[in-house]
Amino acid sequence: KVFQKEREPHVYLSKEEVKEKIQSYNSSVTDKLKMTLNANGIYTGFIKVQMELCRPITVQSSQSQGMCAPSNQETAFYLPEGCVNTLHISSTNTVREVIEALLKKFFVADNPAKFALYKCCHKEDQVYMCKLSDREHPLYLRLVAGPKTEMLSFVLREHETGEVMWEAFSIPELQNFLRILDKEENDQLQILKNRYAAYKGKLEEALRGVLKPG
């Protein structure tokens, strides 16, 4: 994938231009996720966001969801690879609001500032990724690109900082990360022990065959 920093300038469309684009968009939709233009000029529609998170996310337990007071009943886990979420948003919703809505949908307790939304498109057999600013409007980008994900797709990732800013995480989050790493280390160690035990067993069996008196 090729990462881009430059962004295409936002072109402000008239209400009639928006209406024409929405009609064209809806005529090309194959999954019934159409856009709707309201009388006030605001339009609504759907975007799909692929979750590509490398670090574990902190999720509120079912007992703490919906409670105003902070709860210690949280757990951290890795989101399954290739997870895609569909959001119904409006043309006024910003990237920051989309990120917050995604995290709320998964009951993620992590700070939204840790995440960034990227747009991904294919050009001449290359995949280009560009981080969107917090003030950009994803549904506008979806409308301009059309419904085909080959032309444009959205990806949620952690911020590309080069290094993990561990000081941005809370103590419970860091403790959860340590527990996950300890479990992964023990799992890998057990796999390695089992592999060498099986190899040792085969060697001992072969050795008994060679030393068996004829």
Side-chain angles (χ1 to χ4, degrees):
K1 294 180 180 179
V2 179
F3 288 84
Q4 290 181 313
K5 290 185 178 180
E6 61 273 9
R7 302 180 180 90
E8 297 176 3
H10 186 103
V11 178
Y12 290 93
L13 304 173
S14 66
K15 187 174 180 179
E16 189 59 37
E17 288 174 325
V18 169
K19 183 178 179 180
E20 291 176 1
K21 280 192 172 293
I22 289 177
Q23 290 174 343
S24 175
Y25 183 97
N26 289 342
S27 66
S28 303
V29 166
T30 57
D31 54 10
K32 298 182 180 180
L33 300 180
K34 296 184 177 183
M35 293 195 187
T36 302
L37 179 62
N38 300 315
N40 58 4
I42 296 174
Y43 51 96
T44 59
F46 299 84
I47 61 169
K48 293 181 179 180
V49 181
Q50 183 166 341
M51 316 286 279
E52 291 186 359
L53 304 181
C54 299
R55 297 191 293 271
I57 55 175
T58 304
V59 179
Q60 297 173 345
S61 69
S62 58
Q63 294 179 352
S64 63
Q65 290 164 11
M67 297 176 63
C68 296
S71 171
N72 293 327
Q73 295 179 338
E74 296 178 345
T75 184
F77 70 96
Y78 287 97
L79 205 63
E81 187 176 351
C83 179
V84 176
N85 205 280
T86 302
L87 284 180
H88 185 250
I89 63 174
S90 81
S91 55
T92 62
N93 288 132
T94 62
V95 164
R96 180 50 46 190
E97 290 171 334
V98 166
I99 293 174
E100 290 172 353
L102 279 170
L103 299 182
K104 184 177 180 181
K105 201 169 185 178
F106 280 95
F107 301 105
V108 177
D110 297 81
N111 189 337
K114 297 176 184 177
F115 304 93
L117 192 67
Y118 288 77
K119 68 175 181 180
C120 178
C121 58
H122 297 256
K123 293 180 182 178
E124 300 176 354
D125 298 327
Q126 287 276 15
V127 180
Y128 293 88
M129 301 237 356
C130 177
K131 185 168 73 173
L132 299 172
S133 72
D134 287 349
R135 293 186 297 273
E136 292 190 72
H137 298 87
L139 195 61
Y140 165 81
L141 298 174
R142 179 80 278 164
L143 175 64
V144 172
K148 293 183 179 179
T149 54
E150 294 82 6
M151 297 299 295
L152 175 74
S153 60
F154 295 106
V155 178
L156 183 73
R157 289 183 165 189
E158 294 94 350
H159 271 297
E160 296 286 343
T161 58
E163 294 183 2
V164 179
M165 305 296 290
W166 294 113
E167 61 271 18
F169 292 84
S170 66
I171 291 178
E173 286 177 319
L174 294 174
Q175 290 172 337
N176 275 325
F177 295 164
L178 287 174
R179 282 194 288 269
I180 289 174
L181 291 174
D182 286 340
K183 183 180 183 304
E184 288 184 347
E185 182 182 8
N186 291 331
D187 290 346
Q188 291 300 318
L189 184 60
Q190 190 59 48
I191 290 172
L192 191 62
K193 286 181 177 179
N194 292 341
R195 184 185 304 166
Y196 278 97
Y199 184 57
K200 181 181 178 181
K202 290 181 180 179
L203 286 176
E204 290 176 343
E205 184 180 351
L207 187 60
R208 284 194 297 269
V210 171
L211 297 178
K212 186 177 181 181

